[in-house]
Amino acid sequence: MASRESSVTNGDSSASISPYDCIFEGCQLPVCLRSETMDEEEWPMAEIISKKCDSNGQWRFYVHYNSYNKRLDEWVTADKLDIDHIQLPRKESKSQTSTAAAALIKNTSRAVSPDVTISGASSPLPSSGETVISSSRRSSVALGRKRKNENDNSSEPVGGESSPAQLPPQTGSMHRPIGTHASDDVVTRMKNIEMLELGRHRIKPWYFSPYPQELTTEPVIYLCEFCLKYMKSLTCLARHRTKCNIFHPPGNEIYRKDTISFFEIDGRKNKAYSQNLCLLAKLFLDHKTLYYDTDPFLFYIMTEYDEHGFHIVGYFSKEKESSEDYNVACILTLPCYQRKGYGKLLIEFSYELSKIEGKTGSPEKPLSDLGLLSYRSYWTQTLLEVLINMKNQEDETIPFVTINELCEQTSIRKDDVTSTLQYHNLIHYYKGQYVISLSNEILEHHERSMAKRKIRIDPKCIQWTPKDWSRRGKW
Ligand code: ACO
Ligand code: ZN
């Protein structure tokens, strides 16, 4: 693959003639990609989102690798571009979205009878089948939601240091709302915060979040790890900490076991915290729209305790009233804590709350690529746990179970139960009824996975009574 050295030494970034005039927004070309997890460099096709010339005359191009998630988008120098294979933008290519999640979404609507039998017979598992998330629409809801009138700007950010007038566009959506200008789209498609310091962690953001403009030029922004207020310097943070005396998130601690706690926060009562949390979360959530009205949401913050306080690990939000029975709106494990089982702990907690409510629930769709992996893994492990327990209890006979019973025991919604069973090819139609068969392979895989799942939610440690929000005049 050809690569080109940048021989440009034009120090004037405002010069009207650039040697890279032929490379502009919307062009596609192979770009050298070498991520931390890759041994060798690759040259996938990428789209030019923007370009700039820095004070040294070095041209940089912001690229999106077409078949990769946007969190890999980055500024690259000209030598990483294979200019020989450039393709000019086609008109329709502007509207294309190419997230990994979108590529995974497929509609399947195979009906499954509610009555099934579990048998010990083996089947070729697990299959490499496809996902059965049934919706590919992009969510317009999430971190906070605008109510009733979408154009109502009455809810304003109160948590940070800036007024809303200083903020970039107030939707953090990655798709362009009707009537907005193309340049807004370019702004929100690019990461705008270089680095984040939160307690003892430095975290590299994945996506755009509408932090005030003046913070976007700082090499690092600093967040108070307890109230999540954002600041542009360590000095500001130190000054802030002399006034901010909290060592845990606001709200009620509704769970504590060992070092793990959960705090419930009402988006109406703790608006500043909720808005700061949403701004932070947006840095890692691509497919959700950010609005400033957090009133309709509850936020469940998971913390880890040490002698310095209760440190935020992740959270999920939940609508006070969900017409579609969603039990999670957004879910996030901060990157410094990811892939350690905390995501599944958050998911488990959300289903424990649903069990207390006596409801089934489901996460709001569409899921992100990582959201889908985590939920599918949780659903699989939870259903297998129930099925294996049933089988162990009834050694001689083949146990019978209905899909509804599985839903009741787990609080997982019916479509998620059936899609999980289908995904792993566990359910078959046999002699007039549905049969779930668990192969040795899947049983062994499950045993290994459960051995790794060290931290679990202990339902006895939850101190929480659900509120009936529909009976309240106001959230
Ligand atoms: N690559 C491959 N597999 C992964 C990855 C990854 N980067 N991250 C998680 N997984 C898998 C894990 O292997 C695990 O499965 P396994 O136990 O079967 O091996 C499963 O996902 C869960 O892993 P956890 O460690 O419990 O989850 P984690 O703490 O990493 O959090 C989460 C998962 C919350 C999705 C996290 O990746 C995140 O915050 N991502 C950014 C925000 C996001 O996408 N949220 C979901 C949006 S959808 C919604 O909000 C409803
Ligand atoms: Zn603070």
Side-chain angles (χ1 to χ4, degrees), residues 131-146:
T131 140
V132 286
I133 297 300
S134 59
S135 162
S136 62
R137 85 189 152 83
R138 282 169 85 85
S139 169
S140 60
V141 190
L143 302 163
R145 163 186 282 180
K146 274 194 177 177

Side-chain angles (χ1 to χ4, degrees), residues 71 206-207 281 284-285 287-288 328-334 337-346 363-375 377 381 445 449 452:
R71 57 184 166 269
W206 294 357
Y207 310 112
F284 308 102
L285 280 158
H287 63 305
K288 300 286 189 180
V328 164
C330 284
I331 186 162
L332 169 77
T333 304
L334 288 168
Y337 292 99
Q338 281 175 11
R339 305 213 67 177
K340 296 184 166 93
Y342 290 115
K344 235 176 259 173
L345 206 60
L346 285 162
E364 191 179 287
K365 309 300 177 312
L367 299 173
S368 66
D369 56 345
L370 298 178
L372 180 59
L373 282 173
S374 305
Y375 267 97
S377 175
Q381 291 183 355
H445 182 267
S449 308
K452 281 193 280 174

